[in-house]
Amino acid sequence: MSKIEKVPFETLEFSGITFKVINRHAAHEIIGELTNFDNQKIYNVFEDTWRFPDYEENPIFLLAEEDVEMDLFEMDFSTEEHQDIFILGFIFKGNLQVKKLISSYDTDNSPALIVLGETSAVNIHLFGSVHYLGGGLKCDTIVGEYNHGELFVKGDVVSRLIYSDDMPMHFERFTDIQAIINVNRPDVMICSNVSDADGNLLTFENYFPSTNNLSDIVDDSFIEYTKYGTEILGNDYLDAFKKGLSILDHDKKDKYMYADFRNQFINMIEELSENEEFLSEGKIIRNIGNTLYQFLPFEYEGKKYSQISEEIGNGFNIRMRALWCHDDEEITLVLEYLYDDGNPKFQWANNETAPGIEMFCVKCTAVNAFEMLTAEVVEDEEEDEREYQEYSNTFTLEEYSVQFGGYALPEDLVKLYEFDQKYGSDTYSECFGLLVWNDKTGIKSWSEKEEFYNSFIEFAGANGSGSSYAYWLIDKDLNNCPIVVFGDEGGIHVVAENTRKLIHLLTLDTEISVDFDKAYFYQDEGYYEESENKEVFQEWVKNEFNLDPIETNEETDVIVVEAKAKYKKRLNDFLTKFDIEIGEDDE
């Protein structure tokens, strides 16, 4: 982008604060050199992506040059008075102090928060963009949510709870942290200083495992459970955040501080030692997903030990071990980061009374691993509840064209049809294939109104469970019509701006995941199996469209979010006309 954007006015009031209005060139002068912990630049305000789009009218940044104090700061793209602007980010050169809550706008897309001074608030809830806090952080709870967001915090961090639900959160140092909770995989990262064999100080950024379960520290009234039994924040915790209230239960101090860990651990060792499987096999091992849980006895330097451990693989390479020495009756806790070959890269080790949040990770591991090791083993069953989509590409182009009525097939779709015919559906991109629909039965299940079901043309299967891709007919030319996905278990979502963008998404070779709230692509390396003709397809896409294959989930996010930024609100307005409920992610 080369043109200089004009600002519509010099100042603008937001949340009771008068900000200076600046364009992206002026913002670049302030934030363009900010770096992450690998010394890579964080912001390129000219990149024209969903984070900093140039297709919006009146794109601006809001700048506060002095320290700012607010009661509540909920970021938005515009104000009631000026709804024709698009706020790309809020930049604070000084300190930002908020009495109650700092919050992003939307999990998919939000203005960026950039604070060069210290940030303080009771609660902070971030997502939807790359956020930067450069002068340290003080809060009761900070929440990062969804993988469209990312956070970098430099300086001292003082927080009772750091909670991440699928959002990367990078911290320079933990000054005073009570608990860290990653909902699933580790998403919280910390810079660690270690010494090598020659005494040189080395700095590494590492994933930091959970120190507690959510129920150890959060008030039970704010905890919900997923269908897999995972504890997550819910039950209107945002209402408490907006009131400036803490969601933590300080009466649980003994629990989150592991006050009785010694007795608890000794009881776990005794129970595992009497387990029938241990008595017959001499060990207990569970390999669940990408995580290995073990209970093993061993001897070291003439002493007998029992060890409960957890090892997180799939690129995280973290091992946590809690050891009981039967001779000395001492507990040793070890947090290790491993090389790819399994050998330790560096480690923290100490007894159970030692201070340090690193040891809390190991205590949490011991408790959770014990539950895994003592849980009833369910025999593997070759059973899948999904009703897999069946594909057959025995139809001619003329037969395929019938479902399009008077609409001409996009040239890109015709090319895809020819490739699909040559190599076969579901052989080049997981669970994808072109299909012929003789009626609109599936779409009619959403609404029987003719205006609704005649506004879409299904043309392909989207995943193995029955979801489908369709054109949303907002133009007479299908090249100008976005692609939506109809979820087999609920949800209608914009996926791509056009056919070519969808073809690009298919190069990841991963079926789309669709639920009521959102649709996304997520390739799990631990379970991924390459499609037979993936490489041929990727080469074909490169030759036909000059598009490099997508290699990461994040690259698909960019395409999906760009489409949603253009069409989501319009689609939601259309769906609500027919009393079709909109998911939380799309409201």
Side-chain angles (χ1 to χ4, degrees):
M1 178 179 178
S2 58
K3 67 178 181 179
I4 302 295
E5 295 168 333
K6 296 181 180 180
V7 296
F9 20 75
E10 292 185 1
T11 62
L12 184 145
E13 185 171 305
F14 192 101
S15 291
I17 302 298
T18 299
F19 289 86
K20 182 179 180 180
V21 179
I22 62 175
N23 62 19
R24 69 180 82 213
H25 286 81
H28 174 70
E29 294 298 316
I30 301 171
I31 67 175
E33 297 299 317
L34 297 179
T35 59
N36 62 18
F37 297 112
D38 290 325
N39 209 31
Q40 302 295 312
K41 292 180 180 179
I42 297 174
Y43 293 109
N44 175 12
V45 298
F46 308 109
E47 63 187 6
D48 185 25
T49 67
W50 57 273
R51 286 174 176 155
F52 300 116
D54 66 3
Y55 50 76
E56 297 287 351
E57 293 186 7
N58 297 319
I60 60 172
F61 283 84
L62 296 186
L63 171 65
E65 297 185 290
E66 306 295 334
D67 292 349
V68 170
E69 293 185 11
M70 296 187 200
D71 184 62
L72 179 69
F73 184 36
E74 295 180 279
M75 292 182 282
D76 202 339
F77 289 115
S78 61
T79 67
E80 289 187 8
E81 183 180 359
H82 299 287
Q83 297 187 19
D84 58 341
I85 62 172
F86 191 86
I87 302 172
L88 299 171
F90 294 84
I91 303 174
F92 297 85
K93 279 190 171 181
N95 300 326
L96 173 61
Q97 181 178 348
V98 178
K99 293 180 181 178
K100 296 176 181 176
L101 170 67
I102 299 172
S103 178
S104 295
Y105 172 72
D106 183 89
T107 51
D108 273 333
N109 197 5
S110 170
L113 173 64
I114 302 106
V115 184
L116 304 186
E118 183 183 77
T119 304
S120 60
V122 175
N123 299 302
I124 301 176
H125 192 208
L126 296 176
F127 37 79
S129 190
V130 178
H131 308 288
Y132 177 90
L133 309 179
L137 168 65
K138 291 181 179 178
C139 64
D140 189 70
T141 297
I142 179 166
V143 173
E145 187 177 0
Y146 198 37
N147 57 27
H148 287 179
E150 191 166 10
L151 171 66
F152 295 91
V153 182
K154 293 188 176 180
D156 295 319
V157 178
V158 177
S159 177
R160 300 282 292 171
L161 172 62
I162 297 174
Y163 173 94
S164 177
D165 187 354
D166 197 30
M167 188 182 105
M169 304 172 74
H170 310 257
F171 298 91
E172 182 175 10
R173 58 181 173 268
F174 295 147
T175 306
D176 186 5
I177 303 296
Q178 186 55 67
I180 295 172
I181 296 174
N182 302 278
V183 172
N184 290 304
R185 65 187 184 186
D187 284 305
V188 174
M189 282 163 275
I190 180 65
C191 291
S192 301
N193 297 317
V194 297
S195 299
D196 63 13
D198 298 323
N200 300 312
L201 187 65
L202 305 176
T203 300
F204 297 91
E205 188 178 22
N206 300 300
Y207 290 98
F208 204 86
S210 295
T211 62
N212 298 86
N213 294 314
L214 196 63
S215 56
D216 291 346
I217 190 168
V218 169
D219 189 289
D220 292 339
S221 64
F222 299 112
I223 298 175
E224 291 183 355
Y225 295 85
T226 69
K227 63 181 180 181
Y228 303 108
T230 303
E231 298 175 347
I232 59 172
L233 284 178
N235 295 330
D236 301 322
Y237 73 95
L238 281 176
D239 291 341
F241 273 10
K242 291 178 182 179
K243 294 175 183 177
L245 302 176
S246 174
I247 63 170
L248 308 184
D249 185 346
H250 299 287
D251 290 336
K252 294 182 175 182
K253 183 176 181 180
D254 285 350
K255 193 170 186 180
Y256 61 72
M257 291 293 292
Y258 295 100
D260 194 40
F261 179 76
R262 180 177 178 84
N263 291 329
Q264 186 180 8
F265 186 66
I266 292 172
N267 290 336
M268 289 190 290
I269 294 294
E270 290 176 349
E271 183 172 338
L272 289 170
S273 299
E274 297 170 359
N275 183 282
E276 290 184 7
E277 181 178 348
F278 176 77
L279 294 174
S280 62
E281 303 292 333
K283 57 186 177 182
I284 305 175
I285 298 176
R286 300 285 184 268
N287 204 329
I288 302 173
N290 299 302
T291 304
L292 178 65
Y293 303 94
Q294 297 186 88
F295 175 61
L296 299 171
F298 65 91
E299 289 192 14
Y300 178 71
E301 295 184 347
K303 296 180 180 180
K304 294 181 178 181
Y305 293 85
S306 292
Q307 171 181 289
I308 300 174
S309 67
E310 174 185 349
E311 184 172 332
I312 308 172
N314 197 26
F316 294 102
N317 298 343
I318 303 170
R319 183 166 60 207
M320 291 156 286
R321 299 186 291 138
L323 300 87
W324 171 250
C325 179
H326 294 270
D327 299 284
D328 297 338
E329 296 188 346
E330 292 182 352
I331 297 173
T332 302
L333 307 176
V334 184
L335 169 62
E336 297 175 300
Y337 291 89
L338 311 175
Y339 290 107
D340 290 338
D341 62 5
N343 289 316
K345 185 188 300 183
F346 47 86
Q347 65 175 212
W348 285 263
N350 219 317
N351 61 45
E352 86 273 15
T353 63
I357 198 168
E358 294 84 4
M359 299 300 101
F360 276 30
C361 294
V362 188
K363 292 177 181 179
C364 184
T365 280
V367 173
N368 292 337
F370 172 77
E371 293 180 0
M372 293 294 183
L373 293 168
T374 55
E376 182 180 355
V377 178
V378 179
E379 295 295 329
D380 291 336
E381 297 179 4
E382 296 296 327
E383 183 179 311
D384 198 325
E385 296 178 354
R386 297 187 302 175
E387 296 177 2
Y388 280 94
Q389 187 78 272
E390 293 184 3
Y391 294 107
S392 172
N393 62 349
T394 58
F395 45 84
T396 66
L397 184 59
E398 289 73 21
E399 291 170 330
Y400 183 64
S401 301
V402 171
Q403 61 201 2
F404 288 82
Y407 288 86
L409 271 68
E411 182 180 350
D412 291 348
L413 183 61
V414 173
K415 291 179 179 179
L416 182 60
Y417 166 84
E418 293 170 349
F419 184 92
D420 190 277
Q421 288 288 303
K422 182 175 181 179
Y423 292 98
S425 298
D426 196 19
T427 70
Y428 52 91
S429 187
E430 183 186 32
C431 295
F432 175 85
L434 301 181
L435 287 172
V436 172
W437 273 272
N438 296 318
D439 55 39
K440 292 181 178 283
T441 302
I443 295 180
K444 287 181 179 179
S445 67
W446 293 87
S447 174
E448 292 282 351
K449 293 183 179 180
E450 186 175 353
E451 181 188 355
F452 176 78
Y453 62 73
N454 281 339
S455 295
F456 301 94
I457 296 176
E458 290 177 289
F459 66 93
N463 58 25
S465 54
S467 301
S468 62
Y469 288 121
Y471 289 99
W472 181 28
L473 306 178
I474 62 172
D475 194 282
K476 293 181 179 180
D477 184 352
L478 292 184
N479 290 297
N480 300 323
C481 293
I483 310 297
V484 302
V485 62
F486 284 85
D488 57 288
E489 295 184 358
I492 304 174
H493 307 284
V494 179
V495 175
E497 296 177 52
N498 51 46
T499 311
R500 187 167 298 187
K501 290 292 182 72
L502 176 65
I503 292 172
H504 198 193
L505 288 169
L506 297 178
T507 61
L508 182 65
D509 188 23
T510 295
E511 67 175 341
I512 192 169
S513 297
V514 189
D515 58 34
F516 180 68
D517 291 325
K518 58 182 178 291
Y520 58 96
F521 293 84
Y522 181 74
Q523 184 179 101
D524 189 330
E525 295 179 0
Y527 297 94
Y528 171 66
E529 293 184 9
E530 183 176 309
S531 294
E532 177 186 356
N533 294 310
K534 171 189 173 181
E535 291 186 3
V536 177
F537 179 64
Q538 290 182 338
E539 291 174 4
W540 176 79
V541 171
K542 177 65 175 177
N543 293 334
E544 287 289 339
F545 309 111
N546 195 30
L547 295 172
D548 294 324
I550 290 176
E551 302 291 347
T552 67
N553 301 319
E554 289 73 20
E555 291 175 84
T556 65
D557 290 340
V558 172
I559 294 175
V560 173
V561 172
E562 286 178 346
K564 293 176 75 172
K566 284 190 175 183
Y567 299 110
K568 180 177 74 169
K569 185 179 185 304
R570 185 174 173 184
L571 176 63
N572 288 350
D573 291 343
F574 178 77
L575 296 177
T576 53
K577 285 174 53 179
F578 304 96
D579 297 323
I580 295 174
E581 192 175 355
I582 306 301
E584 292 182 5
D585 190 51
D586 286 330
E587 290 181 344

